[in-house]
Amino acid sequence: MGWVRICWVCVAVTAVTWCVPGVRPAAAQPTVTDAEVAAGIERMKAWLYGLQDPDTGSFDSPSWSELRNQGYHATGETALITYALMLAGESHQDPRIAKAIEYLRGNPTDSTYLASMRCHIWARMPGDGGRGDAFAALREAEAEYLRSAERGGKFYYQADHPTWSNSLTQYGMLGLWEHAKRGGEVDDRLWVMVGEHTFDDQNPDGGWGYNDGPGRGGGDSTGSMTAAGVAVLQIAQQRLAREEDLPDPRLDAAIARGLDWLDQRFDPAVNPGLAERYRFYYLYGIERLALAGGVSRLNGRDWFEAGARFILDEEDGDGTVRGNSSAEMSGRISTAFALSFLARGRVPVWAAKLELDVEPPEAERRRGRRDREEAADEFEEVSRSAGWNARPNDLYFLTQYLSDQREAELNWQVATRDAPAEDWLRAPVLWASGRSPVAFDGPTKAKIKRYLDLGGTLIVNQEGRGSRFQQSFQRLARELYPDYRPEPLGREHPFAGLVIPAPAAAQSRSIGNGVRDLMVFPRGDWGMVFQAQDAGRGSSWDVMTNVFAALTDRGRLSNRLEPVLPLRDAEREASGQSVTVGRAVYAGNWDAEPAAWDVAAVDAFNRSGVVLTAEAIPLASIAEDGGLPLIHVAGTDTAWEPTEDELAAVRGYVAAGGTLLVESVGGLSNFADAAAATLAEALDGERRPLEPLHPVYTGEGLPGHVAAGRVAYRGYAQARGAVGNRAGLEAVVVDGRAAVIVSSRDLSLGAIGARHERINGYAPDSARALLHNLAVWAAPGEGR
């Protein structure tokens, strides 16, 4: 059984960027939006419901005679459509779904395809799997049928049917996989037999055919069957290799070749080798293997975005997606597959595994399995991907566990080396795992820094014994953030108890910026726990439950196609106005969130066409000729102690008409309060709330006329006393002018859209609107 250890090799992506003068590159505009996908899903659900027989609950087509008369297809459309509707969020308690379920319960089928689909449905029903669980009994009956239809590692239409195929084998494995995931028993020998057969049946070109393998007179590779072959090997690996430390080189190569075959040919409009036939069945196969294996792109394209665009273009406007094969001509089957693709593919991505250029681990003894010499010979063949993906299912099992915990599905993916940091940011958590040290090149360093600066958090898991992998990241952290040092998390950290008590978290260490964690270094090999142990057994599962809640604002995540960062409005023309904001450099934590103005600049351009830039400037130099209109003094410390030279510069700057913005980044310290008191005294000014009709709130007279007086606060800010929907800025008024704007609540993390739970500040749209108005109001001639 040890050979079934697969390492996923992920495809490269093409970075697409845009440029506005003074604005850093941002993520590319998607070809289809989440709103379009949501609307398409609703149309498809409505159309499918319209097909249901109100008396029986059946979705079967009365005219589907030829296939319907064969016992191994009876009730097929009902099973497929019911499952698709449930994937799309329809409850088993909905009377229409309940009626379909009763129809299926009363009409057992004699078919591998149908037993598999029904097993999927029973697996989604409530129950604990115990003796009184009626659906567990139904699931076991389907699984028993599937076992009977397997012979020699191949699945047949029926136990005594003469025909097998890789399509049937895929669905047989999928059904038993669902059964096993809900606690059902499946003999390991079955996973081995089917895995071995599928491995042997791979064509020389890396793909799979329908049912004739290499040297057997046919079976040219097709897209749908190659997706099936990869999925079967993946399932076998997940069931058999949970305790394996490294991927098997044979299966590594087989999976890599299968994915490479798909990568080279991926086009959602074509099922390679079959042209326009079975395209939606093929797309659903792509989705299954991509979500399970973390594949983010195929053939240089986001596979889900490309597939969703194709499906919506094919949909006729009333929810029907028509196929081009005999089994799909009614539209029922193709629409069900299309709906399943859209529903599962759009769910949020919470974590990404970092692809690294790492040498594979040195040969090590497999205790009780191999001697050192044999292990050394094997490890020489392991691909380089073993250096960063030796546990290909750690995030998969963790993601399934978290999905169950929150009762809503999550996805994960691989953060490929060639993707821009903005693409990585789709996932707020970046997971790096390895054993050997990493030699980072310049572009990789810059990309990791950009990801962290934009609000992401990197968890660095050390595999096995030793610490060399983590130490290489700690050296990188010292280079990227020289002022920050690793600190123990401690028992009061959110990771130790935000949702569930997890004192084991206190033993881990973190590098933070005074507000949030940037890099986390677990104590122990968490990845092996997630891959090898049953979900929920062990403290690492509790810690990651807290990590998920803390880094996603308690599960507030965007769907896959919803942009995490503002995307440039391609139709917006530049207004001709440029504003440069100074970021004050002083002896303190002035640079906690260096990307805040980068993101605010994109948002500002979209709102008004104004081009914002930001530049660091020593606080002691702000009064020099050519001074900037707005100086941002940001901090996270409990106090601010400016030098006499800095205070003198502030006096000269304010006397010349300049404006300061003082902010407590994260809103967790009294930095802004202390700075406001110091500045009020130094400037002989009066500190008071910013007047309600101030242009910073109303937008009156400012480019874009952006109203920012009514705001949304973070949930954490509301829990700490922020009430209502009015902004809470203060001012230090000097000679009748608001010379210093004071925000004791966070703006910077709001600007980047950071998804951390402990942010005492404004929600992203409100933070960006306030920063836009502050910058353009402070500029000369803008309605002050």
Side-chain angles (χ1 to χ4, degrees), residues 361-562:
E362 296 174 358
E364 296 184 359
R365 184 194 303 270
R366 297 285 185 88
R367 292 189 183 93
R369 296 194 185 107
R370 298 184 177 91
D371 61 28
R372 187 179 300 275
E373 183 177 354
E374 183 181 355
D377 291 340
E378 177 180 324
F379 290 136
E380 287 180 0
E381 303 176 26
V382 175
S383 73
R384 297 177 70 87
S385 58
W388 62 271
N389 199 24
R391 284 75 180 271
N393 292 297
D394 46 8
L395 283 191
Y396 171 82
F397 288 120
L398 177 58
T399 299
Q400 296 302 305
Y401 172 73
L402 293 173
S403 297
D404 290 342
Q405 291 294 101
R406 72 191 295 256
E407 298 182 350
E409 194 169 6
L410 296 166
N411 284 333
W412 70 281
Q413 67 182 30
V414 170
T416 58
R417 284 189 293 265
D418 295 333
E422 287 78 6
D423 276 10
W424 293 359
L425 198 66
R426 177 181 288 162
V429 176
L430 193 60
W431 175 268
S433 187
R435 187 170 312 193
S436 304
V438 183
F440 298 97
D441 58 23
T444 301
K445 292 178 184 178
K447 201 174 296 182
I448 291 174
K449 176 70 159 57
R450 182 68 171 162
Y451 171 83
L452 298 175
D453 287 350
L454 287 169
T457 301
L458 174 61
I459 299 178
V460 184
N461 182 67
Q462 174 69 51
E463 296 174 1
R465 298 179 179 179
S467 59
R468 293 185 300 162
F469 184 76
Q470 282 190 345
Q471 286 176 355
S472 64
F473 277 88
Q474 290 172 356
R475 288 191 294 271
L476 174 66
R478 287 194 293 271
E479 180 180 344
L480 300 182
Y481 302 100
D483 295 330
Y484 305 146
R485 291 289 182 270
E487 299 288 345
L489 291 179
R491 291 182 177 272
E492 300 303 315
H493 194 282
F495 294 174
L498 181 59
V499 176
I500 185 171
Q507 302 172 16
S508 298
R509 301 175 72 83
S510 168
I511 291 174
N513 65 356
V515 177
R516 60 183 177 92
D517 298 288
L518 300 170
M519 294 188 190
V520 180
F521 301 93
R523 181 176 179 180
D525 187 350
W526 289 2
M528 195 62 193
V529 171
F530 303 140
Q531 174 151 303
Q533 291 186 3
D534 291 337
R537 293 183 56 191
S539 59
S540 300
W541 299 94
D542 295 337
V543 174
M544 286 306 297
T545 299
N546 292 331
V547 168
F548 171 79
L551 300 183
T552 64
D553 197 9
R554 294 182 181 266
R556 293 178 176 88
L557 288 169
S558 303
N559 287 329
R560 182 185 178 97
L561 292 181
E562 293 182 279

